[in-house]
Amino acid sequence: MRFLSLVCALPLLVTACAWEDDRPIVWERTRNVLGPISLKTQIAYVDSALDRVTLLDLAADSPRITTKNIGRNAMHAVPSHDRHRLFVITRGEEAVHHGQIDQEAMLWSLDTENASADPVAYTIGSPFDRIAVSPDNTIAIAYFSAAGPDAEGFFRNPNELAVIDLTRPPGDDNPTLKTIRSFGSVPEGIALSPPMTVPGTASPRTFAFILSSNNLTVLDVSNPSRREISIRLDLGGTPVIPKEVVFAPNTASAYVRSDNARDVLQVLLQSAEPTIANGNDYRPQLAELGAGGGPTDIAVYDDVTGKRYILAATPNTSEIVVIDADTAQFRSVPVSDPIDKIILFPAGGDVPPSPPHKALFASIGAKMKRVYVLDLEHINDPLTQASVRRINLDQPIRDVVPVPGRELAMLVHDDNRTVLGLLDMGTESTSPLLGIDRLDSYDFSPDGSHLIGATPNVSRVGFVALDNLHPTDFRLDDEPHRVLSTANAKIFVDHGDPLGHATIIPSPTASREQALVLTGFLTVNLLDSEP
Amino acid sequence: MRALLTLLLLASAAPLAHAGNNELTMGSYVRALRSSSANAVTTESLTGGSLQVGRALHLGLMPDLEIWATAGLDWGGTEGTMFQTMTTEVDTLGLTVGGRARYALHANLAVSGRLDLGTARNELTLTGNGHMVSDSAWGGTLKAAAGLDLLAIAHPRFSLGLRVELGHVAATATALSPREAGDSTKIELDAMQASIGHLDLGGTYLSFSVMSQF
């Protein structure tokens, strides 16, 4: 009997041991998918649970899916200005439970054009949640958003920055952690300059302009160990909040527009002898340019001779101010409306745009029923009288969006984006566009030939040929969530599925037979990945 | 436990006897899923039922050793969650053929060993954010088990009892590409599914069956 009991008990014991099952904690994590993020010919998604970036390459007829592993808990991702690279901040992890690892916060740089290139990880130490990248992709700065650090951790320093030299591999001196001087405010944004040569110094370098309430901080990020220079903006009254920075690299200067400021602030960088070892070899010279009325928007452009101009709208003085960035000379053009948006034409596009020759001025906040056009071609000629032309609209304007590479602008007439118009800057005439529902997601084809729109309630993608305003639509099998246009003119319709579900339309004129539905790309090879 | 002891006591009083040439077993099993792919989709074990038929081969290799040819059908399923929000469902249907060596220790007690080859259709369904995708595929299986037969009724031409089996299923990982069910009434766009990878449902199992020989 004892033998029989043993015979019965032994299998149960063995079975009980075999039933012990340690599931990797990766499958229990909270999953947040960042994206879709439009790159050159690729679409990127960042998965915070699987710790990977999924790239869909739409360059060929058939989409190619690749994944690149990154660190734990991705929290923020931005593409580079040229959309060739993707930068991701991962929060890292503490090894509290079995299966977790100790990993610091990192910034990951992914070369999406090179499939064989491994992501480069820079240990940034703190869980920053914003990234600023220089236009030439050589410098990145990770910093905290205005919301500040998250609840984890003990001490927090909202004025800390990590300056990363993207041209060098990670090391003890890369990134450089800095804490900028604070006068009670925290950074609300960072603008990185293109390479600028300060007159009297050796080589071009990148400067960071750190925007915070009542303060503008200038940091030589090509030499991040040097001290920053702080510029107080307030006069003791209403807080002055810097909002926009445009750069004039030829003259090593920047123009800053601030809310509640009297003027556009010119920051001209000039050489100076360092007063201490490893001190700054430059100093900013400040000038308030003659806007004189609290600018609400600024725009910058170079004319055919390469001369840089700043346009500023100053509703308080009912003027538009055209500033020569090199000489700070300006001229004013009277406009009665409270202009708060300036758009230059032609704008954007994939080919290098020709110098803008017209500017459009709109009053979005005041919801005015008119816009203004200013010719820029002879704006610097003192013998010509600069004046704006008024274009009357049927309805108040809520937003205006330039069509890339074209002299067209889409006018939005209501908050729901159901009533639209197209403004032809050549003829300065408008045409109405009627949609069946609100335009929740839209994009323009890279050559500006088509407006592409979608709304989640309607299983269609709408196209408007912008040459003749001919509307067509493409029936989808599922409701769209977001629509994107890639640099090779393919249309990517994301359906908002956490498993990955998208429709790829080869061109705005493609038929349904040419389109492809791609599913499961966000879980590709998920079961084969050993956590 | 008391019932088991009673069964064994009854069995100890009976002489060794020949069973019939046919066998039918029906029962349930629980299989521990321990592959990394199965761990991805569920923390639970696979549970299901099985039906098996057998035929004695009378090879006469040694006294009290019976060799049986067997064929079986088993089915099972389990559920789970991924990333706290995505629900998973795994279903399997298996067909096997094989053999069993059974040695009668007593008229009411026998031990057996089993080796089966077969195939299984594995289906994975994922549901998240209102979307449901699924896919299924066939893969091979190899099943080995040791069993204990406890017979409550042991007559020369009919026996009825309980079979407890502990074994292991080795399964080939099946490649799956889950997709959403289409609307057959509409002409749909060409579709391409990315593979989710390979699902391996192999693992150690324990089964309880009612068996009868006749």
Side-chain angles (χ1 to χ4, degrees):
Chain A
M1 184 59 71
R2 188 172 297 168
F3 172 73
L4 288 174
S5 300
L6 187 65
V7 167
C8 293
L10 192 61
L12 293 173
L13 185 66
V14 171
T15 306
C17 294
W19 251 249
E20 182 64 33
D21 200 359
D22 292 324
R23 189 192 200 197
I25 202 167
V26 60
W27 310 117
E28 310 282 359
R29 294 163 66 186
T30 305
R31 184 171 183 241
N32 183 27
V33 178
L34 308 174
I37 300 166
S38 180
L39 299 167
K40 208 65 180 176
T41 60
Q42 302 188 81
I43 304 293
Y45 291 84
V46 183
D47 192 320
S48 69
L50 294 172
D51 304 326
R52 70 183 189 183
V53 175
T54 302
L55 295 165
L56 304 180
D57 191 347
L58 308 184
D61 289 342
S62 183
R64 190 165 58 92
I65 305 169
T66 54
T67 60
K68 290 180 185 282
N69 293 327
I70 55 172
R72 291 279 206 266
N73 298 320
M75 54 195 294
H76 187 63
V78 296
S80 62
H81 293 272
D82 60 7
R83 297 200 291 170
H84 284 295
R85 302 183 76 88
L86 182 68
F87 301 98
V88 184
I89 291 180
T90 55
R91 175 70 175 80
E93 188 174 73
E94 279 187 296
V96 178
H97 303 288
H98 292 293
Q100 292 181 321
I101 59 170
D102 280 317
Q103 187 181 76
E104 289 195 76
M106 292 183 177
L107 181 135
W108 296 79
S109 172
L110 289 88
D111 181 357
T112 60
E113 297 295 298
N114 185 358
S116 60
D118 289 327
V120 181
Y122 297 89
T123 301
I124 52 178
S126 295
F128 301 109
D129 58 353
R130 289 292 178 272
I131 308 167
V133 183
S134 65
D136 59 351
N137 290 343
T138 57
I139 301 279
I141 295 183
Y143 64 104
F144 288 112
S145 65
D150 58 25
E152 294 181 34
F154 196 80
F155 291 116
R156 304 171 201 164
N157 178 3
N159 288 293
E160 187 182 24
L161 313 172
V163 181
I164 303 127
D165 184 347
L166 298 171
T167 62
R168 290 195 296 129
D172 291 340
D173 60 342
N174 190 25
T176 303
L177 296 178
K178 277 194 84 72
T179 295
I180 57 167
R181 274 189 297 269
S182 166
F183 298 93
S185 58
V186 297
E188 296 183 14
I190 293 179
L192 287 170
S193 75
M196 298 199 300
T197 303
V198 177
T201 62
S203 55
R205 52 189 137 156
T206 302
F207 292 88
F209 283 65
I210 301 154
L211 316 179
S212 58
S213 180
N214 289 330
N215 280 292
L216 176 69
T217 304
V218 183
L219 177 65
D220 178 0
V221 288
S222 298
N223 300 286
S225 59
R226 295 179 182 174
R227 292 295 301 269
E228 73 277 15
I229 296 174
S230 300
I231 302 167
R232 293 298 297 262
L233 300 176
D234 64 316
L235 299 171
T238 311
V240 176
I241 301 164
K243 289 290 185 185
E244 261 184 289
V245 182
V246 293
F247 295 98
N250 294 340
T251 55
S253 57
Y255 296 85
V256 183
R257 181 188 73 79
S258 305
D259 285 350
N260 306 319
R262 287 180 314 190
D263 286 309
V264 174
L265 180 70
Q266 184 192 30
V267 182
L268 180 64
L269 303 180
Q270 293 183 320
S271 62
E273 281 298 316
T275 53
I276 56 171
N278 197 32
N280 284 309
D281 58 353
Y282 74 96
R283 61 183 170 83
Q285 179 182 334
L286 308 181
E288 285 187 310
L289 298 185
T296 51
D297 195 16
I298 58 175
V300 63
Y301 72 96
D302 297 324
D303 71 3
V304 287
T305 64
K307 186 173 256 189
R308 180 151 285 201
Y309 288 92
I310 312 291
L311 291 177
T314 57
N316 291 346
T317 57
S318 299
E319 285 179 333
I320 294 162
V321 185
V322 185
I323 306 165
D324 183 330
D326 295 338
T327 63
Q329 289 183 321
F330 66 93
R331 67 188 302 183
S332 302
V333 182
V335 177
S336 57
D337 287 354
I339 302 298
D340 54 9
K341 184 146 192 173
I342 306 172
I343 297 175
L344 303 173
F345 289 90
D350 264 6
V351 293
S354 55
H357 54 84
K358 281 188 179 180
L360 177 70
F361 302 91
S363 305
I364 307 297
K367 301 181 178 66
M368 304 301 286
K369 293 173 71 172
R370 52 190 170 262
V371 293
Y372 296 87
V373 176
L374 175 68
D375 287 324
L376 303 176
E377 284 173 336
H378 303 290
I379 198 71
N380 59 342
D381 184 352
L383 298 179
T384 60
Q385 182 179 0
S387 61
V388 294
R389 290 186 299 282
R390 189 165 88 173
I391 301 174
N392 292 316
L393 307 173
D394 294 334
Q395 302 188 54
I397 188 168
R398 301 292 179 94
D399 197 8
V400 56
V401 183
V403 178
R406 302 289 297 269
E407 296 198 25
L408 296 169
M410 186 176 76
L411 307 175
V412 181
H413 290 300
D414 65 338
D415 289 338
N416 288 334
R417 294 190 294 277
T418 57
V419 184
L420 306 172
L422 199 70
L423 172 63
D424 186 332
M425 292 294 289
T427 60
E428 296 181 9
S429 61
T430 60
S431 305
L433 291 175
L434 300 177
I436 57 172
D437 211 327
R438 57 178 288 161
L439 190 65
D440 282 300
S441 177
Y442 69 88
D443 204 349
F444 294 101
S445 55
D447 59 355
S449 65
H450 287 80
L451 165 66
I452 307 152
T455 188
N457 302 322
V458 182
S459 296
R460 288 181 184 276
V461 174
F463 298 98
V464 177
L466 297 177
D467 285 334
N468 56 11
L469 299 188
H470 175 58
T472 54
D473 57 41
F474 186 100
R475 181 171 65 82
L476 300 168
D477 292 345
D478 300 280
E479 291 183 352
H481 179 71
R482 196 168 158 201
V483 63
L484 300 169
S485 178
T486 60
N488 57 344
K490 290 192 176 179
I491 294 106
F492 183 86
V493 185
D494 179 73
H495 294 286
D497 184 344
L499 306 166
H501 184 185
T503 302
I504 299 159
I505 306 169
S507 71
T509 56
S511 64
R512 277 177 58 86
E513 287 74 26
Q514 296 170 297
L516 179 72
V517 173
L518 179 63
T519 58
F521 52 83
L522 292 180
T523 53
V524 64
N525 297 329
L526 179 141
L527 301 182
D528 297 339
S529 57
E530 289 280 348
Chain B
M1 193 62 189
R2 185 174 294 173
L4 182 64
L5 290 173
T6 307
L7 193 66
L8 291 173
L9 284 171
L10 285 171
S12 65
L16 284 169
H18 296 290
N21 290 330
N22 302 303
E23 183 183 271
L24 179 67
T25 60
M26 191 165 64
S28 62
Y29 69 88
V30 55
R31 188 191 303 171
L33 301 176
R34 302 197 62 190
S35 69
S36 62
S37 57
N39 277 336
V41 295
T42 183
T43 56
E44 304 297 320
S45 297
L46 188 76
T47 57
S50 65
L51 181 68
Q52 193 170 46
V53 294
R55 176 77 180 173
L57 295 180
H58 299 297
L59 297 180
L61 297 177
M62 59 180 286
D64 299 325
L65 179 68
E66 303 161 8
I67 304 296
W68 293 76
T70 60
L73 167 72
D74 58 68
W75 60 92
T78 185
E79 292 177 345
T81 57
M82 298 172 75
F83 312 122
Q84 303 178 25
T85 55
M86 196 184 294
T87 61
T88 61
E89 186 179 328
V90 175
D91 293 294
T92 183
L93 175 70
L95 298 168
T96 57
V97 291
R100 177 187 296 278
R102 182 171 182 267
Y103 185 77
L105 298 172
H106 188 273
N108 298 83
L109 180 66
V111 292
S112 65
R114 171 187 175 193
L115 189 67
D116 286 353
L117 272 174
T119 182
R121 177 183 180 273
N122 300 330
E123 181 174 14
L124 173 65
T125 303
L126 301 172
T127 307
N129 200 24
H131 297 266
M132 186 172 78
V133 295
S134 68
D135 190 24
S136 61
W138 288 89
T141 59
L142 175 65
K143 190 180 291 186
L148 185 68
D149 297 348
L150 303 168
L151 302 178
I153 300 171
H155 293 299
R157 291 199 164 271
F158 178 76
S159 63
L160 179 68
L162 176 72
R163 172 170 290 162
V164 181
E165 220 173 45
L166 179 67
H168 187 84
V169 178
T172 57
T174 50
L176 297 172
S177 299
R179 67 194 70 104
E180 210 157 355
D183 184 347
S184 59
T185 64
K186 293 180 181 173
I187 301 171
E188 298 204 316
L189 297 167
D190 287 342
M192 174 179 161
Q193 291 82 35
S195 170
I196 196 171
H198 296 79
L199 181 61
D200 178 358
L201 294 183
T204 304
Y205 75 93
L206 179 67
S207 73
F208 296 90
S209 310
V210 175
M211 61 159 292
S212 175
Q213 293 178 344
F214 47 90

